[in-house]
Amino acid sequence: MKTYHVNKEGYYGEFGGAYVPEILHRCVEELQNVYLDVLESESFRSEYDNLLRNYVGRPSPLYLAQRLSEKYGCKIYLKREDLNHTGAHKINNAIGQVLLARRMGKSRIIAETGAGQHGVATATVCALMGMECIVYMGQTDVERQHINVEKMRMLGATVQPVTSGNMTLKDATNEAIRDWCCHPSDTYYVIGSTVGPHPYPDMVARLQSVISEEIRKQLLQQEGREYPDYLMACVGGGSNAAGTIYHYLDDERVKIVLAEAGGLGIDTPMSAATIHLGRKGIIHGARTLVMQDEDGQIQEPYSISAGLDYPGIGPLHANLAHERRATVLAVNDDEALAAAYELTRLEGIIPALESAHALGALAKIDFKPSDVVVLTVSGRGDKDIETYLKHLA
Ligand SMILES: *Cc1c(COP(=O)(O)O)cnc(C)c1O
């Protein structure tokens, strides 16, 4: 049977793999050798599930949005990852990887962050578990996202500003990889999305797959069937989308719609729509689609949403697009802003700007009245209030 899951070599079709410097071969191989055994072990499962329930607040609600449904002429359920502790889906992954690090005997945790959401989630879990935490963040982002920087510091993490390149996420990731090369034996690198060398994309997808596991149960209860007609999510690196679709990947009854950040438009130089604009290449250890110029230099992406502003994309998602298993839509800044205001005024939910891109894709699909749609609200909009107010409708 055809599968869209990873194969034994760490590939999704022609995408994925592990392209890392020599010095990291052993680290990455060690991770490849242990991650499945740990993630599937009884002791990990019980500790992880307990924290998801009692610390994160799972299961997150699957909420039937009545007024939004009326507007789009179908039945729209919102998967409320915005209600998690720390305000987004990223905590699901951070808890899982720090638990894994502890089982591997690592004492030092490093992470990269762009907008700061993954940094805050990782710093939170490190505080909870009493572990040292160093977060690499581009200097530009340190200035743009100062509240998250203060939160990380309050949680006891060291925020390491990065001043190379454009001083954003890509540069922070390079610096984190460099740190890992220098401390391979005691350090665990917590990657925040379904990117990086194998096994990270598969590991992060598995840790986020609690989302689709819950969707199945909740749909059965509320709708009388386990599957929707559509699953929708935004994609930066792809982790909230991977979690949303994980248990439905090979179920072709379910249509998958991924929303990437169009920025000012895919026909302008100001965009982060990697699947539309990228070409095959290698970024941060994986073969995937990359926004690059003719010489293979990585192009700076742009989006109003810091969480979607990444020049790569998870290899799982590159393959889903390549195989036409998923429909990928570019949603521009103005469309996302309008969708955020619409959700706020229709349902009383202020979504993260990233999530607003998934909402902005609703208007681009021709739904039937009988369609059941599940759309993941990946995070809450508190962190984006300043941006929203600047564009007050
Ligand atoms: C980080 C972030 C994203 C983008 O990351 P993915 O790995 O693509 O999910 C989306 N939404 C929110 C709220 C985020 O914080």
Side-chain angles (χ1 to χ4, degrees), residues 31 34-35 37-53 55-56 90-109 121-122 124-131 188-190 203 207:
L31 205 53
V34 303
Y35 85 107
D37 285 345
V38 173
L39 262 55
E40 285 168 3
S41 71
E42 189 71 37
S43 85
F44 176 90
R45 291 259 38 123
S46 77
E47 200 175 357
Y48 182 58
D49 292 348
N50 179 53
L51 285 170
L52 288 185
R53 192 166 54 248
Y55 188 70
V56 174
K90 293 219 169 68
I91 191 87
N92 304 326
N93 169 53
I95 289 179
Q97 286 198 53
V98 175
L99 285 177
L100 170 63
R102 222 163 52 173
R103 278 166 172 72
M104 292 174 73
K106 309 283 182 182
S107 57
R108 189 170 170 272
I109 297 292
T122 305
T124 297
V125 181
C126 286
L128 174 70
M129 300 191 188
M131 289 174 86
Y188 183 96
Y189 178 20
V190 180
M203 176 163 62
L207 292 171

Side-chain angles (χ1 to χ4, degrees), residues 35-278:
Y35 85 107
L36 281 180
D37 285 345
V38 173
L39 262 55
E40 285 168 3
S41 71
E42 189 71 37
S43 85
F44 176 90
R45 291 259 38 123
S46 77
E47 200 175 357
Y48 182 58
D49 292 348
N50 179 53
L51 285 170
L52 288 185
R53 192 166 54 248
N54 299 314
Y55 188 70
V56 174
R58 305 202 71 92
S60 65
L62 184 70
Y63 164 68
L64 175 58
Q66 300 265 12
R67 298 185 67 208
L68 192 70
S69 298
E70 258 167 55
K71 165 91 205 265
Y72 289 100
C74 59
K75 213 165 172 182
I76 301 173
Y77 286 92
L78 301 177
K79 183 59 173 162
R80 299 289 308 278
E81 294 301 299
D82 57 312
L83 295 177
N84 293 340
H85 180 42
T86 68
H89 64 292
K90 293 219 169 68
I91 191 87
N92 304 326
N93 169 53
I95 289 179
Q97 286 198 53
V98 175
L99 285 177
L100 170 63
R102 222 163 52 173
R103 278 166 172 72
M104 292 174 73
K106 309 283 182 182
S107 57
R108 189 170 170 272
I109 297 292
I110 60 171
E112 84 295 337
T113 200
Q117 296 301 104
H118 172 57
V120 169
T122 305
T124 297
V125 181
C126 286
L128 174 70
M129 300 191 188
M131 289 174 86
E132 183 187 359
C133 180
I134 297 128
V135 180
Y136 288 92
M137 189 172 190
Q139 178 64 33
T140 309
D141 291 330
V142 168
E143 283 158 25
R144 286 193 292 199
Q145 309 286 338
H146 67 102
I147 294 280
N148 278 340
V149 174
E150 302 312 328
K151 279 187 192 170
M152 287 184 267
R153 291 189 172 138
M154 181 165 176
L155 287 159
T158 304
V159 178
Q160 198 64 253
V162 174
T163 52
S164 56
N166 274 58
M167 304 190 260
T168 59
L169 177 59
K170 160 178 71 64
D171 313 294
T173 305
N174 289 339
E175 213 52 48
I177 292 174
R178 212 160 288 151
D179 176 314
W180 200 21
C181 288
C182 295
H183 308 86
S185 57
D186 67 339
T187 296
Y188 183 96
Y189 178 20
V190 180
I191 294 186
S193 190
T194 43
V195 300
H198 177 64
Y200 281 102
D202 184 50
M203 176 163 62
V204 176
R206 284 169 186 264
L207 292 171
Q208 293 291 358
S209 72
V210 61
I211 299 173
S212 66
E213 198 178 306
E214 288 174 6
I215 290 173
R216 266 204 321 210
K217 287 188 198 139
Q218 291 167 320
L219 268 185
L220 187 61
Q221 228 167 36
Q222 298 179 51
E223 200 54 38
R225 64 160 151 123
E226 294 192 312
Y227 68 96
D229 298 293
Y230 287 88
L231 284 171
M232 299 178 68
C234 64
V235 283
S239 69
N240 87 88
T244 301
I245 63 184
Y246 190 84
H247 287 92
Y248 299 103
L249 268 177
D250 296 334
D251 183 345
E252 308 259 359
R253 293 172 300 186
V254 182
K255 299 179 190 77
I256 296 171
V257 178
L258 306 176
E260 53 180 9
L264 299 186
I266 56 171
D267 46 2
T268 74
M270 303 289 276
S271 181
T274 306
I275 299 177
H276 280 86
L277 300 174

